[in-house]
Amino acid sequence: MTHPAFYPIGTPGQAWGPAEVAAWRAQLVRQRSYAEDVLIVFERLRARFEVLPYGEVLYGSDVYPLFALQSLEWQPGLPGVLVTGGVHGYETSGVHGALRFLDQHAEAYTGRVNLLVAPCVSPWGYERIHRWNFDAIDPNRSFKEPSAAQESAALMRLVAPLGQFDVHIDLHETTDTDASEFSPAKAARDGVPYTPVHIPDGFYLVDDTENPQPEFQQAIIAAVERVTHIAPSDTQGGLIGSPQFGRGVIRYPLKSLGLCAGITGARYTTTTEVYPDSPRVTPEHCNAAQVAAVCAAIDFVLAQR
């Protein structure tokens, strides 16, 4: 893969200002529909789950209503489970994996867990198949107060009054465009040198440096491996520039980085990373891997009770 040394917007060594952000935004076009792909599914699920409006994202003339779905009966004493998808709008299986879990698997956990699912946190990015939001901000570095991203702030407002969650699984992908587009764009936006990144061929997880749960992570890896392959170590023995802590697992400090998986303080947290560009997988594999990860996470916690 060719790794460009510069990005066509901005001046090397200078962070973007409003003009550069506007130029970046002008090159993006809507490629799919949040209403047709996501909101219409909510309507089909309304009889089985409570559909919670939790705000809207406003960008110029574009208005995106935000919704989550939760268990019809929130029962005291049951484990709380939060599933989030589409924090990065271009990571397609995060959105569709969450929706598939709701449609095909969530009812198996009725009366066993209190479930809250936000399948598409960043609808503007979903429609444009992009990592960032309208303001060239990464929502998954913005889960901190005060948040610079409307999407992140809205999700935090939704979650805060609901009390303690036991599990939070955040559904993501690592794609070839992370190296070919988003890493160069980030370097240009921030006015720093571009450092090439190696994209792992396979599924992996991100655990929490401050609250590692290795058995939980490996239970998910074992379940997902029945659906798709796990990323092998790179030549340094790590993944995507980070050391491994068990097969297919790296760790980040979730809360200090402002990552979505750090917003609840749950004991069991993870970020999935599906690799959709592998010649060994199809979109079906990717969606199924996300579902397998969610089910394995819930099953692990239920087995601890």
Short mmCIF file of all heavy atoms in Angstrom, two decimals, residues 191-243:
data_model
loop_
_atom_site.label_atom_id
_atom_site.label_comp_id
_atom_site.label_asym_id
_atom_site.label_seq_id
_atom_site.Cartn_x
_atom_site.Cartn_y
_atom_site.Cartn_z
N GLY A 191 -1.32 19.60 11.64
CA GLY A 191 -0.05 20.25 11.33
C GLY A 191 1.16 19.51 11.83
O GLY A 191 2.15 20.11 12.24
N VAL A 192 1.10 18.16 11.80
CA VAL A 192 2.20 17.34 12.30
C VAL A 192 2.66 16.40 11.18
O VAL A 192 1.93 16.15 10.22
CB VAL A 192 1.78 16.53 13.54
CG1 VAL A 192 1.36 17.45 14.67
CG2 VAL A 192 0.65 15.55 13.20
N PRO A 193 3.86 15.84 11.29
CA PRO A 193 4.33 14.90 10.26
C PRO A 193 3.45 13.64 10.22
O PRO A 193 2.94 13.18 11.24
CB PRO A 193 5.76 14.56 10.71
CG PRO A 193 6.16 15.69 11.59
CD PRO A 193 4.91 16.15 12.28
N TYR A 194 3.35 13.10 9.03
CA TYR A 194 2.57 11.87 8.84
C TYR A 194 3.43 10.65 9.12
O TYR A 194 4.53 10.52 8.59
CB TYR A 194 2.02 11.82 7.41
CG TYR A 194 1.47 10.46 7.03
CD1 TYR A 194 0.38 9.92 7.70
CD2 TYR A 194 2.05 9.72 6.00
CE1 TYR A 194 -0.12 8.68 7.37
CE2 TYR A 194 1.55 8.48 5.65
CZ TYR A 194 0.45 7.96 6.33
OH TYR A 194 -0.04 6.74 6.00
N THR A 195 2.94 9.76 9.94
CA THR A 195 3.61 8.50 10.22
C THR A 195 2.77 7.36 9.67
O THR A 195 1.62 7.19 10.06
CB THR A 195 3.78 8.31 11.75
OG1 THR A 195 4.53 9.40 12.28
CG2 THR A 195 4.50 7.01 12.04
N PRO A 196 3.30 6.58 8.73
CA PRO A 196 2.53 5.47 8.17
C PRO A 196 2.09 4.48 9.24
O PRO A 196 2.78 4.28 10.25
CB PRO A 196 3.51 4.81 7.19
CG PRO A 196 4.48 5.89 6.85
CD PRO A 196 4.62 6.71 8.10
N VAL A 197 0.93 3.89 9.04
CA VAL A 197 0.41 2.89 9.96
C VAL A 197 0.23 1.57 9.22
O VAL A 197 -0.03 1.54 8.02
CB VAL A 197 -0.93 3.32 10.60
CG1 VAL A 197 -0.75 4.58 11.42
CG2 VAL A 197 -2.00 3.54 9.53
N HIS A 198 0.39 0.47 9.95
CA HIS A 198 0.19 -0.87 9.39
C HIS A 198 -1.19 -1.36 9.81
O HIS A 198 -1.51 -1.39 11.00
CB HIS A 198 1.26 -1.83 9.90
CG HIS A 198 1.00 -3.26 9.54
ND1 HIS A 198 1.18 -3.75 8.26
CD2 HIS A 198 0.54 -4.29 10.28
CE1 HIS A 198 0.86 -5.02 8.24
NE2 HIS A 198 0.46 -5.38 9.45
N ILE A 199 -1.99 -1.76 8.84
CA ILE A 199 -3.35 -2.22 9.12
C ILE A 199 -3.35 -3.73 9.29
O ILE A 199 -2.95 -4.47 8.39
CB ILE A 199 -4.31 -1.83 7.97
CG1 ILE A 199 -4.29 -0.32 7.74
CG2 ILE A 199 -5.73 -2.30 8.28
CD1 ILE A 199 -4.67 0.51 8.94
N PRO A 200 -3.77 -4.22 10.45
CA PRO A 200 -3.79 -5.68 10.67
C PRO A 200 -4.84 -6.36 9.80
O PRO A 200 -5.92 -5.82 9.57
CB PRO A 200 -4.16 -5.81 12.15
CG PRO A 200 -3.98 -4.45 12.75
CD PRO A 200 -4.21 -3.48 11.63
N ASP A 201 -4.54 -7.55 9.34
CA ASP A 201 -5.48 -8.34 8.55
C ASP A 201 -6.23 -9.27 9.48
O ASP A 201 -5.84 -10.42 9.71
CB ASP A 201 -4.75 -9.14 7.48
CG ASP A 201 -5.70 -9.95 6.59
OD1 ASP A 201 -6.92 -9.95 6.88
OD2 ASP A 201 -5.24 -10.57 5.63
N GLY A 202 -7.32 -8.76 10.05
CA GLY A 202 -8.14 -9.59 10.91
C GLY A 202 -8.76 -8.81 12.05
O GLY A 202 -8.51 -7.62 12.24
N PHE A 203 -9.56 -9.50 12.82
CA PHE A 203 -10.29 -8.93 13.95
C PHE A 203 -9.38 -8.78 15.16
O PHE A 203 -8.54 -9.63 15.44
CB PHE A 203 -11.45 -9.86 14.29
CG PHE A 203 -12.31 -9.43 15.45
CD1 PHE A 203 -13.44 -8.65 15.24
CD2 PHE A 203 -12.00 -9.81 16.75
CE1 PHE A 203 -14.24 -8.27 16.30
CE2 PHE A 203 -12.80 -9.43 17.82
CZ PHE A 203 -13.93 -8.64 17.59
N TYR A 204 -9.57 -7.69 15.91
CA TYR A 204 -8.89 -7.54 17.20
C TYR A 204 -9.75 -6.69 18.12
O TYR A 204 -10.79 -6.14 17.71
CB TYR A 204 -7.49 -6.96 17.03
CG TYR A 204 -7.41 -5.54 16.52
CD1 TYR A 204 -7.21 -4.47 17.39
CD2 TYR A 204 -7.48 -5.26 15.16
CE1 TYR A 204 -7.12 -3.16 16.92
CE2 TYR A 204 -7.38 -3.97 14.68
CZ TYR A 204 -7.21 -2.92 15.56
OH TYR A 204 -7.12 -1.63 15.09
N LEU A 205 -9.34 -6.60 19.38
CA LEU A 205 -10.07 -5.88 20.41
C LEU A 205 -9.18 -4.86 21.10
O LEU A 205 -7.95 -5.03 21.16
CB LEU A 205 -10.60 -6.84 21.48
CG LEU A 205 -11.65 -7.86 21.06
CD1 LEU A 205 -11.87 -8.88 22.19
CD2 LEU A 205 -12.97 -7.19 20.69
N VAL A 206 -9.81 -3.83 21.65
CA VAL A 206 -9.11 -2.84 22.47
C VAL A 206 -9.65 -2.91 23.89
O VAL A 206 -10.81 -2.58 24.15
CB VAL A 206 -9.28 -1.42 21.90
CG1 VAL A 206 -8.48 -0.43 22.75
CG2 VAL A 206 -8.84 -1.36 20.44
N ASP A 207 -8.82 -3.34 24.80
CA ASP A 207 -9.13 -3.41 26.22
C ASP A 207 -8.77 -2.06 26.86
O ASP A 207 -8.20 -1.18 26.21
CB ASP A 207 -8.32 -4.54 26.85
CG ASP A 207 -8.81 -4.97 28.23
OD1 ASP A 207 -9.80 -4.40 28.72
OD2 ASP A 207 -8.17 -5.86 28.81
N ASP A 208 -9.09 -1.90 28.14
CA ASP A 208 -8.83 -0.66 28.86
C ASP A 208 -7.55 -0.79 29.68
O ASP A 208 -7.45 -1.66 30.55
CB ASP A 208 -10.01 -0.35 29.78
CG ASP A 208 -9.90 1.01 30.46
OD1 ASP A 208 -8.90 1.72 30.24
OD2 ASP A 208 -10.83 1.36 31.22
N THR A 209 -6.58 0.07 29.41
CA THR A 209 -5.32 0.06 30.15
C THR A 209 -5.56 0.18 31.65
O THR A 209 -4.85 -0.45 32.47
CB THR A 209 -4.42 1.21 29.68
OG1 THR A 209 -4.21 1.09 28.27
CG2 THR A 209 -3.08 1.20 30.39
N GLU A 210 -6.53 1.00 32.05
CA GLU A 210 -6.77 1.27 33.47
C GLU A 210 -7.65 0.22 34.14
O GLU A 210 -7.76 0.20 35.36
CB GLU A 210 -7.43 2.65 33.62
CG GLU A 210 -6.66 3.80 32.97
CD GLU A 210 -5.24 3.89 33.49
OE1 GLU A 210 -5.05 3.72 34.72
OE2 GLU A 210 -4.31 4.11 32.69
N ASN A 211 -8.26 -0.65 33.34
CA ASN A 211 -9.15 -1.67 33.91
C ASN A 211 -9.12 -2.91 33.02
O ASN A 211 -10.11 -3.29 32.41
CB ASN A 211 -10.59 -1.13 34.01
CG ASN A 211 -11.57 -2.19 34.49
OD1 ASN A 211 -11.27 -3.01 35.34
ND2 ASN A 211 -12.77 -2.17 33.91
N PRO A 212 -7.97 -3.55 32.92
CA PRO A 212 -7.86 -4.67 32.00
C PRO A 212 -8.69 -5.88 32.46
O PRO A 212 -8.75 -6.18 33.65
CB PRO A 212 -6.37 -5.00 32.01
CG PRO A 212 -5.86 -4.47 33.31
CD PRO A 212 -6.70 -3.26 33.62
N GLN A 213 -9.32 -6.51 31.48
CA GLN A 213 -10.14 -7.70 31.75
C GLN A 213 -9.77 -8.77 30.73
O GLN A 213 -10.52 -9.02 29.77
CB GLN A 213 -11.63 -7.35 31.68
CG GLN A 213 -12.09 -6.35 32.70
CD GLN A 213 -12.07 -6.90 34.12
OE1 GLN A 213 -12.09 -8.12 34.32
NE2 GLN A 213 -12.03 -6.02 35.11
N PRO A 214 -8.63 -9.42 30.89
CA PRO A 214 -8.14 -10.34 29.86
C PRO A 214 -9.04 -11.53 29.59
O PRO A 214 -9.17 -11.96 28.44
CB PRO A 214 -6.76 -10.77 30.38
CG PRO A 214 -6.76 -10.43 31.84
CD PRO A 214 -7.66 -9.25 31.99
N GLU A 215 -9.67 -12.09 30.62
CA GLU A 215 -10.54 -13.25 30.40
C GLU A 215 -11.76 -12.85 29.57
O GLU A 215 -12.20 -13.61 28.70
CB GLU A 215 -10.96 -13.86 31.73
CG GLU A 215 -9.81 -14.51 32.50
CD GLU A 215 -10.29 -15.15 33.79
OE1 GLU A 215 -11.51 -15.11 34.06
OE2 GLU A 215 -9.44 -15.68 34.52
N PHE A 216 -12.30 -11.69 29.85
CA PHE A 216 -13.44 -11.16 29.09
C PHE A 216 -13.05 -10.99 27.62
O PHE A 216 -13.79 -11.42 26.72
CB PHE A 216 -13.87 -9.84 29.72
CG PHE A 216 -14.92 -9.08 28.97
CD1 PHE A 216 -16.22 -9.55 28.88
CD2 PHE A 216 -14.61 -7.85 28.37
CE1 PHE A 216 -17.20 -8.82 28.20
CE2 PHE A 216 -15.58 -7.12 27.71
CZ PHE A 216 -16.87 -7.60 27.61
N GLN A 217 -11.90 -10.39 27.37
CA GLN A 217 -11.47 -10.15 25.99
C GLN A 217 -11.27 -11.48 25.26
O GLN A 217 -11.69 -11.63 24.09
CB GLN A 217 -10.17 -9.34 25.96
CG GLN A 217 -10.16 -8.06 26.79
CD GLN A 217 -11.19 -7.04 26.36
OE1 GLN A 217 -11.57 -6.95 25.20
NE2 GLN A 217 -11.66 -6.23 27.32
N GLN A 218 -10.65 -12.44 25.91
CA GLN A 218 -10.38 -13.70 25.23
C GLN A 218 -11.65 -14.51 24.98
O GLN A 218 -11.73 -15.28 24.02
CB GLN A 218 -9.35 -14.52 26.01
CG GLN A 218 -7.95 -13.94 25.96
CD GLN A 218 -7.44 -13.76 24.54
OE1 GLN A 218 -7.61 -14.63 23.68
NE2 GLN A 218 -6.82 -12.60 24.27
N ALA A 219 -12.66 -14.34 25.83
CA ALA A 219 -13.94 -14.99 25.56
C ALA A 219 -14.56 -14.45 24.27
O ALA A 219 -15.15 -15.21 23.48
CB ALA A 219 -14.89 -14.79 26.74
N ILE A 220 -14.42 -13.15 24.04
CA ILE A 220 -14.93 -12.57 22.80
C ILE A 220 -14.12 -13.03 21.61
O ILE A 220 -14.67 -13.38 20.56
CB ILE A 220 -14.94 -11.03 22.92
CG1 ILE A 220 -15.88 -10.58 24.03
CG2 ILE A 220 -15.34 -10.40 21.58
CD1 ILE A 220 -15.83 -9.10 24.34
N ILE A 221 -12.79 -13.03 21.74
CA ILE A 221 -11.93 -13.50 20.65
C ILE A 221 -12.31 -14.93 20.25
O ILE A 221 -12.43 -15.25 19.06
CB ILE A 221 -10.44 -13.44 21.08
CG1 ILE A 221 -9.97 -11.99 21.19
CG2 ILE A 221 -9.56 -14.23 20.10
CD1 ILE A 221 -9.85 -11.24 19.89
N ALA A 222 -12.53 -15.79 21.23
CA ALA A 222 -12.87 -17.19 20.94
C ALA A 222 -14.19 -17.29 20.17
O ALA A 222 -14.33 -18.11 19.25
CB ALA A 222 -12.94 -17.99 22.24
N ALA A 223 -15.17 -16.46 20.53
CA ALA A 223 -16.46 -16.50 19.85
C ALA A 223 -16.35 -15.95 18.43
O ALA A 223 -16.91 -16.52 17.48
CB ALA A 223 -17.49 -15.70 20.65
N VAL A 224 -15.63 -14.86 18.27
CA VAL A 224 -15.52 -14.23 16.95
C VAL A 224 -14.72 -15.11 16.00
O VAL A 224 -14.99 -15.13 14.79
CB VAL A 224 -14.90 -12.83 17.07
CG1 VAL A 224 -14.57 -12.25 15.70
CG2 VAL A 224 -15.85 -11.91 17.82
N GLU A 225 -13.76 -15.85 16.52
CA GLU A 225 -12.93 -16.70 15.66
C GLU A 225 -13.76 -17.76 14.94
O GLU A 225 -13.33 -18.27 13.90
CB GLU A 225 -11.82 -17.34 16.47
CG GLU A 225 -10.77 -18.01 15.61
CD GLU A 225 -9.54 -18.41 16.37
OE1 GLU A 225 -9.62 -18.55 17.61
OE2 GLU A 225 -8.48 -18.57 15.73
N ARG A 226 -14.92 -18.06 15.44
CA ARG A 226 -15.80 -18.99 14.73
C ARG A 226 -16.45 -18.36 13.52
O ARG A 226 -17.07 -19.05 12.70
CB ARG A 226 -16.86 -19.52 15.70
CG ARG A 226 -16.28 -20.39 16.83
CD ARG A 226 -17.35 -21.16 17.57
NE ARG A 226 -18.15 -20.31 18.43
CZ ARG A 226 -17.88 -20.07 19.71
NH1 ARG A 226 -16.81 -20.62 20.27
NH2 ARG A 226 -18.67 -19.31 20.44
N VAL A 227 -16.32 -17.02 13.41
CA VAL A 227 -16.96 -16.29 12.32
C VAL A 227 -15.93 -15.72 11.34
O VAL A 227 -16.11 -15.75 10.13
CB VAL A 227 -17.82 -15.13 12.89
CG1 VAL A 227 -18.42 -14.29 11.76
CG2 VAL A 227 -18.90 -15.69 13.80
N THR A 228 -14.85 -15.16 11.87
CA THR A 228 -13.82 -14.55 11.03
C THR A 228 -12.46 -14.71 11.72
O THR A 228 -12.38 -15.07 12.89
CB THR A 228 -14.12 -13.06 10.79
OG1 THR A 228 -13.22 -12.55 9.78
CG2 THR A 228 -13.96 -12.23 12.04
N HIS A 229 -11.39 -14.43 10.96
CA HIS A 229 -10.05 -14.69 11.47
C HIS A 229 -9.58 -13.56 12.39
O HIS A 229 -9.98 -12.41 12.25
CB HIS A 229 -9.06 -14.87 10.32
CG HIS A 229 -8.96 -13.71 9.37
ND1 HIS A 229 -9.99 -13.33 8.53
CD2 HIS A 229 -7.96 -12.84 9.15
CE1 HIS A 229 -9.62 -12.28 7.82
NE2 HIS A 229 -8.39 -11.96 8.17
N ILE A 230 -8.73 -13.91 13.32
CA ILE A 230 -8.17 -12.97 14.28
C ILE A 230 -6.85 -12.42 13.70
O ILE A 230 -6.08 -13.15 13.08
CB ILE A 230 -7.91 -13.67 15.64
CG1 ILE A 230 -9.20 -14.34 16.13
CG2 ILE A 230 -7.38 -12.66 16.66
CD1 ILE A 230 -10.41 -13.43 16.23
N ALA A 231 -6.61 -11.15 13.91
CA ALA A 231 -5.42 -10.50 13.36
C ALA A 231 -4.15 -11.11 13.93
O ALA A 231 -4.01 -11.25 15.15
CB ALA A 231 -5.45 -9.01 13.66
N PRO A 232 -3.20 -11.48 13.07
CA PRO A 232 -1.91 -11.97 13.56
C PRO A 232 -1.04 -10.82 14.05
O PRO A 232 -1.25 -9.66 13.67
CB PRO A 232 -1.30 -12.64 12.33
CG PRO A 232 -1.88 -11.87 11.18
CD PRO A 232 -3.28 -11.48 11.60
N SER A 233 -0.04 -11.12 14.84
CA SER A 233 0.89 -10.10 15.31
C SER A 233 1.70 -9.55 14.13
O SER A 233 1.95 -10.25 13.14
CB SER A 233 1.85 -10.70 16.34
OG SER A 233 1.14 -11.28 17.41
N ASP A 234 2.12 -8.29 14.27
CA ASP A 234 3.01 -7.72 13.27
C ASP A 234 4.45 -8.15 13.57
O ASP A 234 4.70 -8.96 14.47
CB ASP A 234 2.88 -6.20 13.22
CG ASP A 234 3.20 -5.51 14.54
OD1 ASP A 234 3.97 -6.08 15.34
OD2 ASP A 234 2.67 -4.39 14.76
N THR A 235 5.40 -7.63 12.81
CA THR A 235 6.79 -8.07 12.97
C THR A 235 7.39 -7.68 14.30
O THR A 235 8.41 -8.23 14.72
CB THR A 235 7.65 -7.50 11.83
OG1 THR A 235 7.52 -6.07 11.81
CG2 THR A 235 7.22 -8.07 10.48
N GLN A 236 6.77 -6.71 15.00
CA GLN A 236 7.22 -6.32 16.33
C GLN A 236 6.46 -7.04 17.45
O GLN A 236 6.65 -6.76 18.63
CB GLN A 236 7.08 -4.80 16.53
CG GLN A 236 8.12 -3.98 15.78
CD GLN A 236 7.85 -3.91 14.29
OE1 GLN A 236 6.72 -3.68 13.87
NE2 GLN A 236 8.88 -4.13 13.49
N GLY A 237 5.57 -7.93 17.06
CA GLY A 237 4.80 -8.67 18.04
C GLY A 237 3.58 -7.94 18.56
O GLY A 237 2.95 -8.39 19.53
N GLY A 238 3.20 -6.82 17.92
CA GLY A 238 2.04 -6.05 18.35
C GLY A 238 0.98 -5.97 17.28
O GLY A 238 0.96 -6.75 16.32
N LEU A 239 0.08 -5.01 17.44
CA LEU A 239 -0.98 -4.74 16.48
C LEU A 239 -1.13 -3.23 16.34
O LEU A 239 -1.21 -2.53 17.35
CB LEU A 239 -2.32 -5.34 16.94
CG LEU A 239 -2.47 -6.86 16.90
CD1 LEU A 239 -3.76 -7.27 17.61
CD2 LEU A 239 -2.50 -7.35 15.45
N ILE A 240 -1.15 -2.77 15.12
CA ILE A 240 -1.38 -1.36 14.79
C ILE A 240 -0.55 -0.41 15.66
O ILE A 240 -1.02 0.64 16.14
CB ILE A 240 -2.90 -1.03 14.80
CG1 ILE A 240 -3.21 0.17 13.93
CG2 ILE A 240 -3.48 -0.96 16.21
CD1 ILE A 240 -4.66 0.34 13.54
N GLY A 241 0.71 -0.81 15.88
CA GLY A 241 1.64 0.03 16.62
C GLY A 241 1.56 -0.08 18.12
O GLY A 241 2.24 0.68 18.83
N SER A 242 0.76 -1.00 18.64
CA SER A 242 0.60 -1.16 20.09
C SER A 242 0.97 -2.59 20.50
O SER A 242 0.75 -3.54 19.74
CB SER A 242 -0.84 -0.88 20.52
OG SER A 242 -1.19 0.47 20.26
N PRO A 243 1.49 -2.77 21.72
CA PRO A 243 1.79 -4.12 22.19
C PRO A 243 0.51 -4.92 22.42
O PRO A 243 -0.55 -4.35 22.71
CB PRO A 243 2.53 -3.89 23.50
CG PRO A 243 2.13 -2.51 23.94
CD PRO A 243 1.89 -1.73 22.69
#
